[in-house]
Amino acid sequence: MKIDRQPEGPLSMDIVSLDIPDVKLITPRRFGDNRGFFSETWNRAAFSEAGIEADFVQDNHSLSATAGTLRGLHFQIPPFAQAKLVRASRGAIFDVAVDLRKGSPTYGHWVGAELSAENWSQMYVPKGFAHGFVTLLPDTEVQYKVDAPYAPAHDRGIAWDDSDIAVAWPLEGRAPVLSGKDAALPKLADIPAPFTMETA
């Protein structure tokens, strides 16, 4: 991983590039005392310094009651493509981004990271990627910012178990808990390329 920004000052955060460099792992600092803690989880200036210029317009919050709940792999097509900033405020998830940008050297590849209330890490998923996660603990709550509103007519997805992508979901041999919609998503090879490097 490449470190993009070192902590500087009391309200800064670590931002590092994952193996697909446009996807970032972000760990805000937490400051605790006998009352609890304080943390700045998003800072426009810190993100801009790391090359992230997303203009977030909506916050989403999900609860998954059962460990092994898998949501994804989701994306929206232009002109409502979304960048996301994802964190687990309770429990833990394995969070995944898949590169859907035709012409990218990592097209069809994935990266993932554990995000939890304990490690306090977040993942930035830019436009041009599919996103999904599986919960690692019961009653996990996930919160994420997006830079475009939900647009049902532009909502798309690819199969969580697409063998060409081969995400190593940490399911430990269990079948995931899926929605009917997610269980029926197509493989990447069976849909038109949703993005190019120029349109992402």
Side-chain angles (χ1 to χ4, degrees), residues 41-42 56 58-60 83-86 143-147:
T41 57
W42 178 72
F56 295 117
Q58 181 176 310
D59 281 5
N60 300 323
K84 299 179 179 180
L85 179 64
V86 185
Q143 299 183 50
Y144 58 101
K145 296 180 175 295
V146 294
D147 69 349

Side-chain angles (χ1 to χ4, degrees), residues 10-157:
L11 296 180
S12 54
M13 55 190 74
D14 285 316
I15 302 177
V16 301
S17 295
L18 297 181
D19 288 342
I20 301 177
D22 292 330
V23 182
K24 311 291 185 183
L25 189 68
I26 298 153
T27 307
R29 288 182 172 184
R30 284 195 292 195
F31 302 90
D33 59 22
N34 61 310
R35 301 166 298 169
F37 72 83
F38 172 83
S39 181
E40 187 177 76
T41 57
W42 178 72
N43 180 291
R44 186 186 299 275
F47 275 52
S48 180
E49 186 179 329
I52 301 172
E53 300 292 349
D55 182 15
F56 295 117
V57 299
Q58 181 176 310
D59 281 5
N60 300 323
H61 189 151
S62 73
L63 166 67
S64 298
T66 305
T69 298
L70 197 153
R71 300 176 185 266
L73 296 158
H74 302 148
F75 60 95
Q76 289 189 172
I77 59 173
F80 292 99
Q82 293 176 323
K84 299 179 179 180
L85 179 64
V86 185
R87 66 190 182 101
S89 55
R90 180 183 182 191
I93 62 173
F94 184 68
D95 204 43
V96 170
V98 179
D99 191 349
L100 302 184
R101 302 168 299 173
K102 199 74 172 180
S104 166
T106 54
Y107 176 73
H109 294 195
W110 67 275
V111 289
E114 183 174 327
L115 311 179
S116 69
E118 183 176 354
N119 69 24
W120 209 236
S121 292
Q122 307 179 74
M123 195 154 81
Y124 173 73
V125 181
K127 290 179 173 70
F129 286 73
H131 169 257
F133 63 83
V134 64
T135 58
L136 305 178
L137 295 171
D139 297 320
T140 288
E141 296 189 42
V142 174
Q143 299 183 50
Y144 58 101
K145 296 180 175 295
V146 294
D147 69 349
Y150 175 58
H154 296 78
D155 187 29
R156 300 288 189 275

